[in-house]
Amino acid sequence: MLRDLAERYAKLGIVTSAAELFEEIELWDDVVECYRIAGKSNKAEEVVRARLAEKETPSMYAALGDITNDPKCFERSLELSHGKYYDSHVALGKYYFDKGDMKTALKYFLDGLEIKPLLPAVWFRVGTISMQLKEWDTALKAFTEVVQQEPEEGDAWANVAAIHIHRRNAAEAYPALLESLKQNRNNWRVWHSKLYTCIDLKKYDEAIQACAELINLKARRNAKEGVEPLEEKCVRAIVGGTVRKYQEAREAKDEIGIDSSKRTLVRVRELLDKIESSTKIEP
């Protein structure tokens, strides 16, 4: 009864009253959390230290670490739990990340994920740290975990693609770019990556589409957003590649290939017109 009432108070934001009720039924983790939410860190610390004076527990040392930002508290929490207290691993990961010690931060995050692997936000952080450290295998594993757990996480798909592009693996980058754009079609950087990837894969129709999207995005955004202009070498690659495909189809007397290449050539002309038009209206 009291627990239910305390939880209702907490949900309604009446956290000090909730803390007092939790204290009556000795749910100390909830007591501390409510006082912290209420901005009463001193009271929360007082409760934590009183509990630790009676018995040392991993959760109370972790709570003290959250209040004091002292890594030794989290380390003691891990000692008491024999390395099994997940929250302290993640807290130490965040602590060392904030200090700029990426290698140590990565170690603690990975240790935590061995205990609780279904945490996409932590995997995402592991991925970004690993990319900074150029640990590409770990980064790919991390972002792959994210998209498996949350398939609608467009930024993670984009990072999967970026890793494959770094490794010059356009065929693997391509499906990840498609998934990323399903979630956010307004990310010009992903369209930029798709443009180069499609050129590498000789998917010229899709490269033309990427060019058109980039032109449209540049027209809609202000200069501060930094949408990069199309590079001449990309347009030349599309034009040259399309012409070669048409010539190859004619030499092979491939009627289907000829028709397909003709349609692509029409799209090339439309793209060139669009480029010319957008150039005229630029300040």
Side-chain angles (χ1 to χ4, degrees):
M1 178 86 175
L2 282 179
R3 180 172 186 168
D4 180 63
L5 184 58
E7 288 174 350
R8 287 173 182 268
Y9 276 173
K11 286 179 182 177
L12 291 170
I14 313 171
V15 286
T16 300
S17 297
E20 291 168 355
L21 290 174
F22 281 128
E23 194 163 355
E24 284 190 41
I25 54 180
E26 299 185 354
L27 292 175
W28 301 111
D29 290 343
D30 294 308
V31 172
V32 172
E33 183 62 19
C34 285
Y35 279 132
R36 289 188 65 205
I37 292 171
K40 298 182 178 181
S41 294
N42 289 340
K43 181 63 177 175
E45 185 174 350
E46 180 185 315
V47 171
V48 170
R49 291 191 183 278
R51 301 315 306 160
L52 287 172
E54 289 190 19
K55 183 181 179 181
E56 292 186 331
T57 64
S59 64
M60 283 296 107
Y61 264 111
L64 186 60
D66 287 333
I67 295 165
T68 63
N69 199 35
D70 183 350
K72 291 180 181 177
C73 296
F74 299 120
E75 290 164 4
R76 180 58 179 156
S77 171
L78 290 175
E79 286 176 19
L80 291 169
S81 67
H82 304 289
K84 299 299 183 184
Y85 199 74
Y86 160 82
D87 289 350
S88 291
H89 284 295
V90 173
L92 284 166
K94 291 176 181 176
Y95 175 84
Y96 286 106
F97 178 86
D98 291 340
K99 295 291 183 183
D101 186 346
M102 297 300 167
K103 282 188 174 293
T104 305
L106 181 60
K107 173 195 174 299
Y108 278 112
F109 283 131
L110 288 172
D111 287 346
L113 286 166
E114 284 189 12
I115 301 165
K116 285 188 180 180
L118 298 179
L119 291 157
V122 180
W123 278 115
F124 195 100
R125 185 169 288 204
V126 165
T128 57
I129 291 172
S130 299
M131 288 181 79
Q132 290 180 51
L133 296 173
K134 302 188 186 305
E135 295 188 13
W136 302 108
D137 287 342
T138 303
L140 182 58
K141 174 179 169 55
F143 288 121
T144 300
E145 287 284 350
V146 176
V147 298
Q148 286 176 347
Q149 294 176 31
E150 290 189 354
E152 295 181 356
E153 179 49 76
D155 288 343
W157 281 113
N159 286 330
V160 169
I163 293 165
H164 287 306
I165 289 169
H166 173 79
R167 290 175 158 177
R168 302 186 184 280
N169 191 344
E172 292 292 335
Y174 175 75
L177 290 167
L178 295 185
E179 291 296 331
S180 180
L181 288 168
K182 279 183 186 177
Q183 309 309 323
N184 181 7
R185 295 186 64 80
N186 293 317
N187 189 327
W188 70 266
R189 289 181 176 82
V190 180
W191 281 112
H192 191 265
S193 296
K194 187 184 178 188
L195 168 58
Y196 278 86
T197 299
C198 287
I199 290 172
D200 286 344
L201 296 175
K202 300 182 181 180
K203 294 178 178 287
Y204 297 117
D205 283 315
E206 291 187 61
I208 292 166
Q209 179 204 21
C211 288
E213 292 289 345
L214 285 166
I215 292 169
N216 292 338
L217 286 169
K218 187 172 178 60
R220 293 201 299 267
R221 307 286 181 87
N222 60 49
K224 291 181 181 178
E225 293 183 76
V227 179
E228 294 182 1
L230 290 178
E231 292 186 275
E232 183 180 339
K233 66 179 181 180
C234 293
V235 179
R236 287 181 178 277
I238 292 169
V239 173
T242 303
V243 170
R244 278 194 300 276
K245 272 196 167 185
Y246 175 66
Q247 291 172 339
E248 288 168 2
R250 286 191 63 187
E251 289 171 5
K253 297 182 180 180
D254 177 1
E255 294 299 327
I256 295 174
I258 291 170
D259 289 342
S260 176
S261 296
K262 283 182 178 179
R263 288 192 294 271
T264 305
L265 285 167
V266 170
R267 295 186 186 105
V268 168
R269 285 195 291 270
E270 291 171 350
L271 173 63
L272 295 175
D273 290 341
K274 191 176 185 71
I275 292 170
E276 184 179 1
S277 175
S278 68
T279 303
K280 286 179 180 178
I281 64 174
E282 282 184 1

